[in-house]
Amino acid sequence: MTPILELRNIDYSYHTLDGETKALSNISFTLTRGEFVSVVGPSGCGKSTLLSLIDGLMQPESGEMLLNGRPLTENSERIGYMLQHDHLFEWRSIWRNVLLGAEISGRLTPETKRHAKAMLEQYGLKQFARSRPSELSGGMRQRAALIRTLLMEPELLLLDEPFSALDYQTRLTVSDDIGQIIRRSGKTALLVTHDLSEAVSLADRVIILTRRPARIARIIPVTFDLGDDTPLARRNAPEFKTYFNEIWKELNRDEPKETRTAAPN
Ligand code: ADP
């Protein structure tokens, strides 16, 4: 089967007046349809740069990026992007926020509206359709932002730290909740996160990047022997800590002693 996404030997550098900053070096990996993959790495290593390249916002210096076997530049509209902040507009109701992407891209049809209505109902936001974003909790806002993204029917979802603006307690429930919605929708997802627990609880594989310029240190397949494989069940399973420690060790492998991340309790 053709992978949905294939990156081959991607390099990227930023050029500024101060000089060149190499952000990515020789990045190669593939995503299979329906897979959920997390990307972790030290702060500033190049994770957001990687997503920006896949989203087509920037072009790689060298290497190849393929979506469904074709150059990504030819079909990057099949990609949805969810960022740290939900970017809901306060002057629009939730209903009109959800429809915004379809409206801008000229794809607002009666069918899209029916689909939006069904998703608002399915994800428990029907009674908030007329509300303003400030009337919703952080979790509900992220759901609305996800509906807006899914309404564009992306084949691949890019998630850049989408839960990091939430407080810890909310973050746990919202990441589990959104993770399950994405799984049930059968979408392929690439999640950038600095939260190792989040990476392990949501993903089929975890890509570990090195310090800048980011190279792939390891790709760890994550499997849990669970009847009901939910993020919450994973967090409570005995394998969870093993995966967490494995990733944490890999991230700290090349760090000078004084900058090492403290060991988890
Ligand atoms: P991460 O998402 O892993 O925190 P980024 O991809 O945002 O890292 O950035 C990788 C590196 O590239 C950073 O260390 C930063 O110094 C550099 N960088 C990011 N954006 C720019 C930019 N617009 N111009 C110059 N350098 C940048």
Side-chain angles (χ1 to χ4, degrees), residues 161-227:
E161 301 267 10
F163 315 118
S164 56
L166 305 169
D167 65 76
Y168 181 71
Q169 207 78 20
T170 313
R171 186 188 173 114
L172 275 182
T173 39
V174 175
S175 65
D176 287 9
D177 174 52
I178 298 280
Q180 291 209 70
I181 292 175
I182 293 171
R183 278 225 181 262
R184 274 188 244 119
S185 73
K187 299 285 177 203
T188 312
L190 190 62
L191 165 78
V192 158
T193 179
H194 66 265
D195 183 333
L196 305 192
S197 300
E198 197 171 280
V200 175
S201 69
L202 294 172
D204 299 309
R205 285 188 295 153
V206 177
I207 298 178
I208 308 172
L209 299 178
T210 63
R211 273 182 295 158
R212 197 190 73 206
R215 287 173 290 103
I216 293 184
R218 264 179 84 188
I219 301 183
I220 297 184
V222 178
T223 50
F224 281 79
D225 190 15
L226 290 165

Coordinates of all heavy atoms in Angstrom, one line a residue, residues 161-227:
E161 N 1.4 20.8 19.1 CA 1.1 21.1 20.5 C -0.3 21.6 20.8 O -0.5 22.7 21.4 CB 2.1 22.2 21.0 CG 3.6 21.8 20.9 CD 4.2 21.2 22.1 OE1 3.4 20.8 23.0 OE2 5.4 21.0 22.1
P162 N -1.3 21.0 20.3 CA -2.7 21.5 20.3 C -3.2 21.7 21.7 O -4.3 22.3 21.9 CB -3.5 20.6 19.5 CG -2.8 19.3 19.6 CD -1.3 19.6 19.7
F163 N -2.6 21.0 22.7 CA -3.2 21.0 24.1 C -2.4 21.9 25.1 O -2.7 22.0 26.2 CB -3.3 19.6 24.6 CG -3.9 18.7 23.6 CD1 -3.2 17.6 23.2 CD2 -5.2 18.9 23.1 CE1 -3.7 16.7 22.2 CE2 -5.7 18.0 22.1 CZ -4.9 16.9 21.7
S164 N -1.2 22.4 24.6 CA -0.3 23.0 25.5 C -0.8 24.4 26.1 O -0.3 24.8 27.1 CB 1.1 23.2 24.9 OG 0.9 24.0 23.8
A165 N -1.9 25.0 25.6 CA -2.4 26.2 26.2 C -3.3 25.9 27.3 O -3.8 26.8 28.0 CB -3.1 27.0 25.1
L166 N -3.7 24.6 27.5 CA -4.6 24.2 28.6 C -3.9 23.9 29.9 O -2.8 23.4 29.9 CB -5.4 23.0 28.1 CG -6.1 23.1 26.7 CD1 -6.6 21.7 26.3 CD2 -7.3 24.0 26.8
D167 N -4.6 24.1 31.0 CA -4.0 23.7 32.3 C -3.9 22.2 32.3 O -4.6 21.4 31.6 CB -4.8 24.3 33.4 CG -6.2 23.7 33.5 OD1 -6.3 22.5 34.0 OD2 -7.1 24.4 33.1
Y168 N -3.1 21.7 33.2 CA -2.7 20.2 33.3 C -3.9 19.3 33.3 O -4.0 18.4 32.6 CB -1.7 20.0 34.4 CG -1.3 18.5 34.5 CD1 -0.5 18.0 33.5 CD2 -1.8 17.7 35.5 CE1 -0.1 16.7 33.5 CE2 -1.5 16.3 35.5 CZ -0.6 15.8 34.5 OH -0.3 14.5 34.6
Q169 N -4.8 19.6 34.2 CA -6.0 18.8 34.5 C -6.9 18.7 33.2 O -7.2 17.6 32.7 CB -6.9 19.4 35.6 CG -7.7 18.4 36.4 CD -6.8 17.7 37.4 OE1 -5.7 18.1 37.7 NE2 -7.3 16.5 37.8
T170 N -7.1 19.9 32.6 CA -8.0 19.9 31.4 C -7.2 19.2 30.3 O -7.8 18.5 29.5 CB -8.2 21.4 31.0 OG1 -8.6 22.1 32.2 CG2 -9.3 21.6 30.0
R171 N -5.9 19.5 30.2 CA -5.1 18.9 29.1 C -5.3 17.4 29.0 O -5.4 16.8 28.0 CB -3.7 19.3 29.5 CG -2.7 18.9 28.4 CD -1.3 19.2 28.9 NE -0.4 18.7 27.9 CZ 0.4 19.4 27.2 NH1 0.4 20.7 27.4 NH2 1.1 18.9 26.3
L172 N -5.3 16.7 30.2 CA -5.4 15.3 30.3 C -6.7 14.8 29.6 O -6.6 14.0 28.7 CB -5.4 14.8 31.7 CG -4.0 14.6 32.4 CD1 -4.3 14.0 33.8 CD2 -3.2 13.6 31.6
T173 N -7.8 15.4 30.1 CA -9.1 15.0 29.5 C -9.2 15.4 28.0 O -9.7 14.6 27.2 CB -10.3 15.5 30.3 OG1 -10.0 16.8 30.7 CG2 -10.6 14.7 31.5
V174 N -8.8 16.6 27.7 CA -9.0 17.1 26.3 C -8.1 16.3 25.3 O -8.6 15.9 24.3 CB -8.7 18.6 26.2 CG1 -8.8 19.0 24.8 CG2 -9.7 19.4 27.0
S175 N -6.9 16.0 25.7 CA -6.0 15.2 24.8 C -6.6 13.8 24.6 O -6.6 13.3 23.5 CB -4.5 15.2 25.2 OG -4.4 14.5 26.4
D176 N -7.0 13.2 25.6 CA -7.6 11.9 25.5 C -8.9 11.9 24.6 O -9.1 11.1 23.7 CB -8.0 11.3 26.9 CG -6.8 10.9 27.7 OD1 -5.7 11.2 27.2 OD2 -6.9 10.3 28.8
D177 N -9.7 12.9 24.9 CA -10.9 13.1 24.1 C -10.7 13.4 22.6 O -11.2 12.7 21.8 CB -11.6 14.3 24.8 CG -12.9 14.8 24.1 OD1 -13.7 13.9 23.8 OD2 -13.0 16.0 23.7
I178 N -9.8 14.3 22.3 CA -9.5 14.7 20.9 C -8.8 13.5 20.3 O -9.1 13.2 19.1 CB -8.6 16.0 20.9 CG1 -9.4 17.1 21.5 CG2 -8.2 16.2 19.5 CD1 -10.4 17.9 20.6
G179 N -7.9 12.8 21.0 CA -7.2 11.7 20.4 C -8.2 10.6 20.0 O -8.1 10.0 18.9
Q180 N -9.2 10.4 20.8 CA -10.2 9.4 20.5 C -11.1 9.8 19.3 O -11.5 9.0 18.4 CB -11.1 9.1 21.7 CG -10.3 8.3 22.8 CD -11.2 7.5 23.6 OE1 -11.7 6.4 23.1 NE2 -11.4 7.8 24.8
I181 N -11.4 11.1 19.2 CA -12.3 11.6 18.1 C -11.5 11.3 16.8 O -12.0 10.9 15.8 CB -12.6 13.1 18.3 CG1 -13.6 13.3 19.4 CG2 -13.2 13.6 17.0 CD1 -13.9 14.7 19.8
I182 N -10.2 11.7 16.8 CA -9.4 11.5 15.6 C -9.3 10.0 15.2 O -9.4 9.6 14.1 CB -8.0 12.1 15.8 CG1 -8.1 13.6 16.0 CG2 -7.0 11.7 14.7 CD1 -6.8 14.3 16.4
R183 N -9.1 9.2 16.2 CA -9.0 7.7 15.9 C -10.3 7.2 15.3 O -10.3 6.5 14.3 CB -8.8 6.9 17.2 CG -7.4 6.9 17.6 CD -7.0 5.5 18.1 NE -5.6 5.6 18.5 CZ -4.6 5.2 17.7 NH1 -4.8 4.8 16.5 NH2 -3.3 5.3 18.1
R184 N -11.4 7.6 15.9 CA -12.7 7.2 15.4 C -13.0 7.7 14.0 O -13.6 7.0 13.2 CB -13.9 7.6 16.3 CG -14.1 6.6 17.4 CD -15.3 6.9 18.2 NE -14.9 7.2 19.6 CZ -15.1 8.3 20.2 NH1 -15.8 9.3 19.6 NH2 -14.7 8.5 21.4
S185 N -12.4 8.9 13.7 CA -12.6 9.4 12.3 C -11.7 8.7 11.3 O -11.9 8.9 10.1 CB -12.3 10.9 12.3 OG -11.0 11.1 12.4
G186 N -10.8 7.9 11.7 CA -10.0 7.1 10.8 C -8.9 8.0 10.1 O -8.3 7.5 9.2
K187 N -8.7 9.2 10.6 CA -7.7 10.1 10.0 C -6.3 9.7 10.3 O -6.1 9.1 11.4 CB -7.9 11.5 10.4 CG -9.3 12.1 10.1 CD -9.4 12.5 8.6 CE -10.8 12.9 8.3 NZ -11.1 12.8 6.9
T188 N -5.4 10.0 9.5 CA -3.9 9.9 9.8 C -3.5 11.1 10.5 O -3.9 12.2 10.1 CB -3.1 9.7 8.5 OG1 -3.8 8.8 7.7 CG2 -1.7 9.3 8.7
A189 N -2.8 11.0 11.6 CA -2.4 12.2 12.4 C -0.9 12.2 12.7 O -0.3 11.2 13.0 CB -3.2 12.3 13.6
L190 N -0.3 13.4 12.7 CA 1.1 13.6 13.1 C 1.0 14.7 14.2 O 0.7 15.8 13.9 CB 1.9 14.1 11.9 CG 3.4 14.1 12.1 CD1 4.0 12.7 12.4 CD2 4.1 14.6 10.8
L191 N 1.4 14.3 15.4 CA 1.2 15.2 16.6 C 2.6 15.5 17.1 O 3.4 14.7 17.4 CB 0.5 14.4 17.7 CG 0.6 15.0 19.1 CD1 -0.4 16.2 19.2 CD2 0.2 14.0 20.2
V192 N 2.9 16.8 17.1 CA 4.1 17.3 17.8 C 3.8 17.7 19.2 O 2.8 18.4 19.5 CB 4.6 18.6 17.1 CG1 5.5 19.4 18.0 CG2 5.4 18.2 15.8
T193 N 4.5 17.1 20.2 CA 4.3 17.4 21.6 C 5.6 17.4 22.4 O 6.5 16.7 22.0 CB 3.3 16.4 22.2 OG1 3.1 16.8 23.5 CG2 3.7 15.0 22.0
H194 N 5.6 18.2 23.5 CA 6.8 18.0 24.3 C 6.4 17.1 25.5 O 7.3 16.9 26.4 CB 7.3 19.4 24.8 CG 6.3 20.1 25.7 ND1 5.4 21.0 25.2 CD2 6.1 20.0 27.0 CE1 4.7 21.5 26.2 NE2 5.1 20.8 27.3
D195 N 5.2 16.7 25.6 CA 4.7 15.9 26.7 C 4.8 14.4 26.3 O 4.0 13.9 25.5 CB 3.2 16.3 26.9 CG 2.6 15.6 28.1 OD1 3.0 14.5 28.4 OD2 1.6 16.2 28.7
L196 N 5.7 13.7 26.9 CA 6.0 12.3 26.6 C 4.8 11.4 26.9 O 4.5 10.5 26.2 CB 7.2 11.8 27.3 CG 8.5 12.6 27.2 CD1 9.7 11.8 27.7 CD2 8.8 12.9 25.7
S197 N 4.1 11.7 28.0 CA 2.9 10.9 28.4 C 1.9 11.0 27.3 O 1.2 10.1 26.9 CB 2.3 11.4 29.7 OG 3.2 11.3 30.7
E198 N 1.7 12.2 26.8 CA 0.7 12.5 25.7 C 1.1 11.7 24.5 O 0.3 11.0 23.8 CB 0.7 14.0 25.4 CG -0.5 14.5 24.7 CD -0.4 16.0 24.6 OE1 -0.8 16.6 25.7 OE2 0.0 16.6 23.6
A199 N 2.4 11.7 24.2 CA 2.9 11.0 23.0 C 2.6 9.5 23.1 O 2.1 8.9 22.1 CB 4.4 11.3 22.8
V200 N 2.9 8.9 24.2 CA 2.7 7.5 24.4 C 1.2 7.1 24.5 O 0.8 6.1 23.9 CB 3.4 7.0 25.7 CG1 3.2 5.5 26.0 CG2 4.9 7.2 25.6
S201 N 0.4 8.0 25.1 CA -1.0 7.6 25.3 C -1.8 7.7 24.0 O -2.8 7.0 23.9 CB -1.7 8.5 26.4 OG -1.8 9.8 25.9
L202 N -1.3 8.4 23.0 CA -2.1 8.6 21.8 C -1.6 7.9 20.6 O -2.3 7.6 19.7 CB -2.1 10.1 21.5 CG -2.9 11.0 22.5 CD1 -2.7 12.5 22.1 CD2 -4.4 10.7 22.5
A203 N -0.3 7.6 20.6 CA 0.3 7.2 19.3 C 0.5 5.7 19.0 O 0.6 4.9 19.9 CB 1.7 7.9 19.2
D204 N 0.6 5.4 17.7 CA 1.0 4.0 17.3 C 2.5 3.9 17.2 O 3.1 2.9 17.3 CB 0.5 3.7 15.9 CG -1.1 3.8 15.8 OD1 -1.7 3.1 16.7 OD2 -1.6 4.5 15.0
R205 N 3.1 5.1 16.9 CA 4.6 5.1 16.9 C 5.0 6.5 17.4 O 4.3 7.5 17.2 CB 5.1 5.0 15.4 CG 5.1 3.6 14.9 CD 5.8 3.5 13.6 NE 5.1 4.2 12.5 CZ 5.7 4.7 11.5 NH1 7.0 4.6 11.3 NH2 5.1 5.4 10.5
V206 N 6.2 6.5 18.0 CA 6.8 7.8 18.4 C 8.1 8.1 17.7 O 9.0 7.2 17.8 CB 7.0 7.8 20.0 CG1 7.6 9.2 20.4 CG2 5.7 7.6 20.7
I207 N 8.2 9.2 17.0 CA 9.4 9.6 16.4 C 10.2 10.5 17.3 O 9.7 11.5 17.8 CB 9.2 10.3 15.1 CG1 8.4 9.4 14.1 CG2 10.5 10.9 14.5 CD1 8.0 10.1 12.8
I208 N 11.4 10.1 17.7 CA 12.2 10.9 18.6 C 13.3 11.6 17.8 O 14.1 11.0 17.0 CB 12.9 10.0 19.7 CG1 11.9 9.1 20.3 CG2 13.7 10.8 20.7 CD1 12.5 8.0 21.3
L209 N 13.3 13.0 17.9 CA 14.3 13.8 17.2 C 15.4 14.2 18.2 O 15.3 14.2 19.4 CB 13.6 15.1 16.7 CG 12.5 14.9 15.7 CD1 11.9 16.2 15.3 CD2 12.9 14.1 14.5
T210 N 16.6 14.4 17.6 CA 17.8 14.8 18.3 C 17.7 16.3 18.5 O 16.8 17.0 18.0 CB 19.1 14.5 17.5 OG1 19.0 15.3 16.3 CG2 19.2 13.1 17.2
R211 N 18.7 16.9 19.2 CA 18.8 18.3 19.3 C 19.1 18.9 17.9 O 19.5 18.2 17.0 CB 20.0 18.7 20.2 CG 19.7 18.8 21.7 CD 20.9 19.2 22.5 NE 21.9 18.1 22.4 CZ 23.2 18.4 22.7 NH1 23.6 19.6 22.9 NH2 24.1 17.4 22.6
R212 N 18.9 20.2 17.8 CA 19.0 20.9 16.5 C 20.5 20.7 15.9 O 21.4 20.9 16.7 CB 18.7 22.4 16.7 CG 18.5 23.1 15.4 CD 18.4 24.6 15.6 NE 19.7 25.1 15.8 CZ 20.0 26.2 16.5 NH1 19.1 26.9 17.0 NH2 21.2 26.6 16.6
P213 N 20.6 20.5 14.7 CA 19.6 20.2 13.7 C 19.0 18.9 13.9 O 19.7 17.9 14.1 CB 20.3 20.3 12.3 CG 21.8 19.9 12.7 CD 22.0 20.4 14.1
A214 N 17.6 18.8 13.9 CA 17.0 17.6 14.2 C 17.3 16.5 13.2 O 17.1 16.7 12.0 CB 15.5 17.8 14.3
R215 N 17.7 15.4 13.7 CA 17.8 14.1 13.0 C 16.9 13.1 13.7 O 16.5 13.4 14.8 CB 19.2 13.6 13.0 CG 20.2 14.3 12.2 CD 21.7 13.9 12.4 NE 22.2 14.2 13.7 CZ 22.3 13.3 14.7 NH1 21.9 12.0 14.6 NH2 22.7 13.7 15.9
I216 N 16.5 12.0 13.0 CA 15.7 11.1 13.7 C 16.6 10.2 14.6 O 17.5 9.5 14.0 CB 14.9 10.2 12.7 CG1 13.8 11.1 12.1 CG2 14.2 9.0 13.4 CD1 12.9 10.4 11.1
A217 N 16.4 10.2 15.9 CA 17.2 9.4 16.8 C 16.7 8.0 16.8 O 17.4 7.0 16.6 CB 17.2 10.0 18.2
R218 N 15.4 7.9 16.9 CA 14.7 6.5 16.9 C 13.3 6.7 16.6 O 12.7 7.7 16.8 CB 14.8 5.9 18.3 CG 16.0 4.9 18.4 CD 16.0 4.4 19.8 NE 15.1 3.2 20.0 CZ 14.9 2.7 21.1 NH1 15.4 3.2 22.2 NH2 14.1 1.6 21.2
I219 N 12.7 5.6 16.1 CA 11.2 5.5 15.9 C 10.8 4.3 16.7 O 11.2 3.2 16.5 CB 10.8 5.4 14.4 CG1 11.3 6.6 13.6 CG2 9.3 5.3 14.3 CD1 10.9 6.7 12.2
I220 N 9.9 4.6 17.7 CA 9.5 3.5 18.6 C 8.1 3.1 18.4 O 7.2 4.0 18.5 CB 9.7 3.9 20.1 CG1 11.2 4.2 20.4 CG2 9.1 2.9 21.0 CD1 11.5 4.5 21.8
P221 N 7.8 1.9 17.9 CA 6.4 1.4 17.8 C 5.8 1.3 19.2 O 6.4 0.8 20.1 CB 6.5 0.1 17.1 CG 7.9 -0.1 16.7 CD 8.7 0.8 17.6
V222 N 4.5 1.7 19.4 CA 3.9 1.7 20.7 C 2.7 0.8 20.6 O 1.7 1.0 19.9 CB 3.4 3.1 21.1 CG1 2.7 3.1 22.4 CG2 4.6 4.1 21.2
T223 N 2.7 -0.3 21.3 CA 1.6 -1.2 21.3 C 1.2 -1.6 22.7 O 2.1 -1.8 23.6 CB 1.9 -2.6 20.5 OG1 3.1 -3.1 21.0 CG2 1.9 -2.3 19.1
F224 N -0.1 -1.6 23.0 CA -0.6 -2.0 24.3 C -1.5 -3.2 24.2 O -2.2 -3.3 23.3 CB -1.4 -0.8 24.9 CG -0.5 0.3 25.5 CD1 0.1 1.2 24.7 CD2 -0.3 0.3 26.9 CE1 0.9 2.2 25.2 CE2 0.5 1.3 27.4 CZ 1.1 2.3 26.6
D225 N -1.4 -4.1 25.2 CA -2.2 -5.3 25.2 C -3.5 -5.0 25.9 O -3.6 -5.4 27.1 CB -1.4 -6.4 25.8 CG -2.1 -7.8 25.6 OD1 -3.0 -7.8 24.7 OD2 -1.8 -8.7 26.3
L226 N -4.4 -4.2 25.3 CA -5.6 -3.8 26.0 C -6.8 -4.1 25.2 O -6.8 -3.9 24.0 CB -5.5 -2.3 26.2 CG -4.5 -1.7 27.2 CD1 -4.4 -0.2 27.0 CD2 -5.0 -2.0 28.6
G227 N -7.9 -4.6 25.8 CA -9.1 -4.8 25.1 C -9.7 -3.5 24.6 O -10.0 -3.4 23.4

